[in-house]
Amino acid sequence: MRIPTWTEDELVLAGALVVKNSWRELRTRDVDVQELSELLRSLPVHEPEARALPGFRSPDSVSRKTTDFMTNHPLYSGKSTRCGKPTLLMIEAFTKREAEMLQAAEAIEEGIASGELHRLPKQPDEVDEAGSTAIEGRLLVRRALARERDPKLRALKIKQARLNGGPLRCEVCAFDFAHHYGDLGDGYIEVHHVTPLHASGTRETKLADLACLCANCHRMCHRSRPGESWRTPAALREQMEKSVPVSSH
């Protein structure tokens, strides 16, 4: 078995280490490198057989990855090391939204330390059909999916949405299942976890963190593309408005 390539989760943690070190590489003997190596070996994103390989995320490999981050930064003047597209996308993410990515790294670390991310079962949609996941990492996607699928929370959110007596509509496109499908669609809607992945943390999910969506908008909010995060309902609504063709008169 070959050592697997670095996942987004692992790259988030490595990138955070480099950013905190002022975009400078860290050597193998550095304490932070040693600690990150141990943490990466514990992440539940690879099979146990892979994590048991002698060189898997060794301090040497972690140090080399920090060099990739440093030398491929846009402001680095020396020769860049060769690295894959996922690393380049992560460098871009940290460059454009450093605070959010550092928050994502902290959320992963907290989730591992608390044991929460180890307890969560794999979710069917944490990786899309093209093999992509959110730039903040698969484990944060897994946590968000698990929370929004909690049947009790889902029922409470739908109950809250119907309190004003109005129709149960998608918060993005206003699709009404009951209007289109009659009794079959009455009371049906999907529930989406809107809190940004990097900010959802280990706190308890509140109803305000959830949104009622139709199946199509729900899928588009979840859809991952290389280097991109999930979209909030508000961001998806804005994208839809931009995509509507302007009619000529």
Side-chain angles (χ1 to χ4, degrees), residues 200-236:
S200 57
T202 55
R203 66 181 175 82
E204 183 178 352
T205 301
K206 301 177 182 179
L207 294 184
D209 297 329
L210 304 171
C212 293
L213 302 180
C214 72
N216 284 347
C217 288
H218 194 186
R219 186 65 177 173
M220 289 300 100
C221 280
H222 276 262
R223 192 178 188 203
S224 298
R225 293 191 293 187
E228 288 190 14
S229 303
W230 281 2
R231 281 146 291 282
T232 63
L236 182 62

Coordinates of all heavy atoms in Angstrom, one line a residue, residues 200-236:
S200 N -18.7 26.5 12.7 CA -19.7 25.7 13.3 C -19.3 25.2 14.7 O -20.0 25.0 15.6 CB -20.2 24.6 12.4 OG -19.1 23.8 12.1
G201 N -18.0 24.9 14.8 CA -17.4 24.5 16.1 C -18.1 23.3 16.8 O -18.8 22.6 16.2
T202 N -17.8 23.2 18.0 CA -18.3 22.0 18.8 C -19.5 22.4 19.5 O -20.1 21.6 20.3 CB -17.2 21.5 19.8 OG1 -16.8 22.6 20.6 CG2 -16.0 21.0 19.1
R203 N -20.0 23.6 19.4 CA -21.2 24.0 20.1 C -22.5 23.3 19.6 O -22.5 22.8 18.5 CB -21.4 25.6 20.0 CG -21.7 26.0 18.6 CD -21.9 27.6 18.5 NE -22.1 28.0 17.2 CZ -23.3 28.0 16.5 NH1 -24.3 27.5 17.1 NH2 -23.4 28.5 15.3
E204 N -23.5 23.4 20.4 CA -24.8 22.7 20.0 C -25.4 23.5 18.9 O -25.4 24.7 18.9 CB -25.7 22.7 21.2 CG -27.0 22.0 21.0 CD -27.9 21.9 22.2 OE1 -27.4 22.4 23.3 OE2 -29.0 21.5 22.1
T205 N -26.0 22.8 17.9 CA -26.6 23.4 16.8 C -28.0 24.0 17.2 O -28.8 23.4 17.9 CB -26.9 22.4 15.7 OG1 -25.7 21.8 15.2 CG2 -27.6 23.0 14.5
K206 N -28.2 25.2 16.8 CA -29.4 25.9 17.1 C -30.3 26.0 15.9 O -29.8 25.8 14.7 CB -29.2 27.4 17.6 CG -28.3 27.4 18.8 CD -28.0 28.8 19.2 CE -27.1 28.9 20.5 NZ -26.7 30.3 20.8
L207 N -31.6 26.2 16.0 CA -32.5 26.3 14.9 C -32.1 27.4 13.9 O -32.3 27.3 12.7 CB -34.0 26.5 15.4 CG -34.6 25.3 16.2 CD1 -36.0 25.6 16.5 CD2 -34.5 24.0 15.4
A208 N -31.6 28.5 14.5 CA -31.1 29.6 13.6 C -30.0 29.2 12.7 O -29.7 29.8 11.7 CB -30.7 30.8 14.5
D209 N -29.3 28.0 13.0 CA -28.2 27.5 12.2 C -28.7 26.8 11.0 O -27.9 26.3 10.1 CB -27.3 26.6 13.0 CG -26.6 27.4 14.1 OD1 -26.3 28.6 14.0 OD2 -26.3 26.7 15.2
L210 N -30.0 26.5 10.9 CA -30.6 25.7 9.9 C -31.5 26.5 9.0 O -32.1 27.5 9.3 CB -31.4 24.5 10.5 CG -30.7 23.7 11.5 CD1 -31.6 22.7 12.3 CD2 -29.6 22.8 10.8
A211 N -31.7 26.0 7.7 CA -32.5 26.6 6.8 C -33.4 25.5 6.1 O -32.9 24.4 5.9 CB -31.7 27.4 5.7
C212 N -34.6 25.9 5.7 CA -35.4 25.0 4.9 C -35.2 25.2 3.4 O -35.4 26.3 2.9 CB -36.9 25.2 5.3 SG -37.3 24.8 7.0
L213 N -34.8 24.1 2.7 CA -34.5 24.2 1.3 C -35.2 23.1 0.5 O -35.5 22.0 1.0 CB -33.0 24.1 1.1 CG -32.1 25.1 1.8 CD1 -30.6 24.8 1.4 CD2 -32.4 26.5 1.4
C214 N -35.5 23.4 -0.8 CA -35.9 22.3 -1.7 C -34.7 21.5 -2.0 O -33.6 21.8 -1.7 CB -36.5 22.9 -3.0 SG -35.3 23.7 -4.1
A215 N -35.0 20.3 -2.6 CA -33.9 19.4 -2.9 C -32.8 19.9 -3.8 O -31.6 19.7 -3.6 CB -34.5 18.1 -3.5
N216 N -33.2 20.7 -4.8 CA -32.3 21.2 -5.8 C -31.4 22.3 -5.1 O -30.1 22.2 -5.3 CB -33.0 21.9 -7.0 CG -33.5 20.8 -7.9 OD1 -33.2 19.7 -7.9 ND2 -34.4 21.3 -8.8
C217 N -31.9 23.2 -4.4 CA -31.1 24.2 -3.8 C -30.2 23.6 -2.7 O -29.1 24.1 -2.5 CB -32.0 25.3 -3.2 SG -32.8 26.4 -4.4
H218 N -30.8 22.6 -2.0 CA -30.0 21.9 -1.0 C -28.7 21.3 -1.6 O -27.6 21.5 -1.1 CB -30.8 20.9 -0.3 CG -30.2 20.3 1.0 ND1 -30.8 19.3 1.6 CD2 -29.1 20.7 1.7 CE1 -30.0 19.0 2.7 NE2 -29.0 19.9 2.8
R219 N -28.9 20.7 -2.7 CA -27.8 20.0 -3.4 C -26.8 21.1 -3.9 O -25.6 20.9 -3.8 CB -28.3 19.2 -4.6 CG -27.2 18.4 -5.3 CD -26.7 17.3 -4.4 NE -25.7 16.5 -5.1 CZ -25.0 15.6 -4.5 NH1 -25.1 15.4 -3.2 NH2 -24.1 14.8 -5.1
M220 N -27.3 22.2 -4.4 CA -26.4 23.3 -4.9 C -25.6 23.9 -3.7 O -24.5 24.4 -3.9 CB -27.1 24.3 -5.7 CG -27.7 23.8 -7.0 SD -26.3 23.3 -8.2 CE -26.4 21.5 -8.0
C221 N -26.2 24.0 -2.6 CA -25.5 24.5 -1.4 C -24.4 23.6 -1.0 O -23.3 24.0 -0.6 CB -26.5 24.8 -0.2 SG -27.5 26.3 -0.3
H222 N -24.6 22.3 -1.1 CA -23.6 21.3 -0.7 C -22.6 21.1 -1.7 O -21.5 20.6 -1.4 CB -24.3 20.0 -0.4 CG -24.9 19.9 1.0 ND1 -24.3 19.3 2.0 CD2 -26.1 20.3 1.5 CE1 -25.0 19.3 3.1 NE2 -26.1 20.0 2.8
R223 N -22.8 21.4 -3.0 CA -21.9 21.0 -4.0 C -20.5 21.6 -3.9 O -20.4 22.8 -3.7 CB -22.5 21.3 -5.4 CG -21.7 20.7 -6.5 CD -22.3 21.0 -7.9 NE -21.6 20.2 -8.9 CZ -21.6 20.5 -10.2 NH1 -22.1 21.6 -10.6 NH2 -20.9 19.7 -11.0
S224 N -19.5 20.7 -3.9 CA -18.2 21.2 -3.7 C -17.5 21.2 -5.1 O -17.7 20.4 -6.0 CB -17.4 20.2 -2.8 OG -17.9 20.2 -1.5
R225 N -16.6 22.2 -5.2 CA -15.8 22.3 -6.4 C -14.4 22.6 -5.9 O -14.2 23.2 -4.8 CB -16.2 23.4 -7.3 CG -17.6 23.2 -8.0 CD -17.9 24.1 -9.1 NE -18.1 25.5 -8.6 CZ -18.6 26.5 -9.4 NH1 -18.8 26.3 -10.7 NH2 -18.8 27.7 -8.9
P226 N -13.3 22.1 -6.6 CA -12.0 22.3 -6.1 C -11.7 23.7 -5.7 O -11.9 24.7 -6.5 CB -11.1 21.9 -7.3 CG -12.0 20.9 -8.0 CD -13.4 21.4 -7.9
G227 N -11.2 23.9 -4.4 CA -10.9 25.2 -3.9 C -12.0 26.0 -3.4 O -11.8 27.2 -3.0
E228 N -13.3 25.5 -3.5 CA -14.4 26.3 -3.0 C -15.1 25.6 -1.8 O -14.9 24.5 -1.6 CB -15.5 26.3 -4.2 CG -15.1 27.2 -5.3 CD -16.3 27.4 -6.2 OE1 -17.4 27.1 -5.9 OE2 -16.0 27.9 -7.4
S229 N -15.8 26.5 -1.1 CA -16.5 26.0 0.1 C -18.0 25.8 -0.3 O -18.4 26.1 -1.4 CB -16.5 27.1 1.2 OG -15.1 27.4 1.5
W230 N -18.7 25.2 0.7 CA -20.1 25.1 0.5 C -20.7 26.6 0.4 O -20.1 27.5 0.9 CB -20.7 24.5 1.7 CG -20.6 23.0 1.8 CD1 -20.0 22.2 0.8 CD2 -21.1 22.1 2.8 NE1 -20.1 20.9 1.2 CE2 -20.8 20.8 2.4 CE3 -21.9 22.4 3.9 CZ2 -21.2 19.7 3.2 CZ3 -22.2 21.3 4.7 CH2 -21.9 20.0 4.3
R231 N -21.8 26.7 -0.2 CA -22.5 28.0 -0.3 C -23.6 28.1 0.7 O -24.3 27.1 0.9 CB -23.1 28.1 -1.7 CG -22.1 28.5 -2.8 CD -22.5 27.9 -4.1 NE -22.3 26.5 -4.1 CZ -21.1 25.9 -4.2 NH1 -20.0 26.5 -4.4 NH2 -21.1 24.5 -4.2
T232 N -23.7 29.2 1.3 CA -24.9 29.5 2.2 C -26.1 29.7 1.3 O -25.9 30.1 0.2 CB -24.6 30.7 3.1 OG1 -24.5 31.9 2.3 CG2 -23.4 30.5 3.9
P233 N -27.3 29.6 1.9 CA -28.5 29.9 1.1 C -28.5 31.3 0.5 O -28.9 31.5 -0.6 CB -29.6 29.7 2.1 CG -29.1 28.6 3.0 CD -27.7 28.9 3.2
A234 N -28.0 32.3 1.3 CA -27.9 33.6 0.9 C -26.9 33.8 -0.3 O -27.2 34.5 -1.3 CB -27.4 34.5 2.0
A235 N -25.8 33.1 -0.3 CA -24.8 33.1 -1.4 C -25.4 32.4 -2.6 O -25.2 32.9 -3.8 CB -23.5 32.4 -1.0
L236 N -26.2 31.3 -2.4 CA -26.8 30.7 -3.6 C -27.9 31.5 -4.2 O -28.0 31.6 -5.4 CB -27.4 29.3 -3.1 CG -28.0 28.5 -4.2 CD1 -27.0 28.1 -5.3 CD2 -28.7 27.2 -3.6

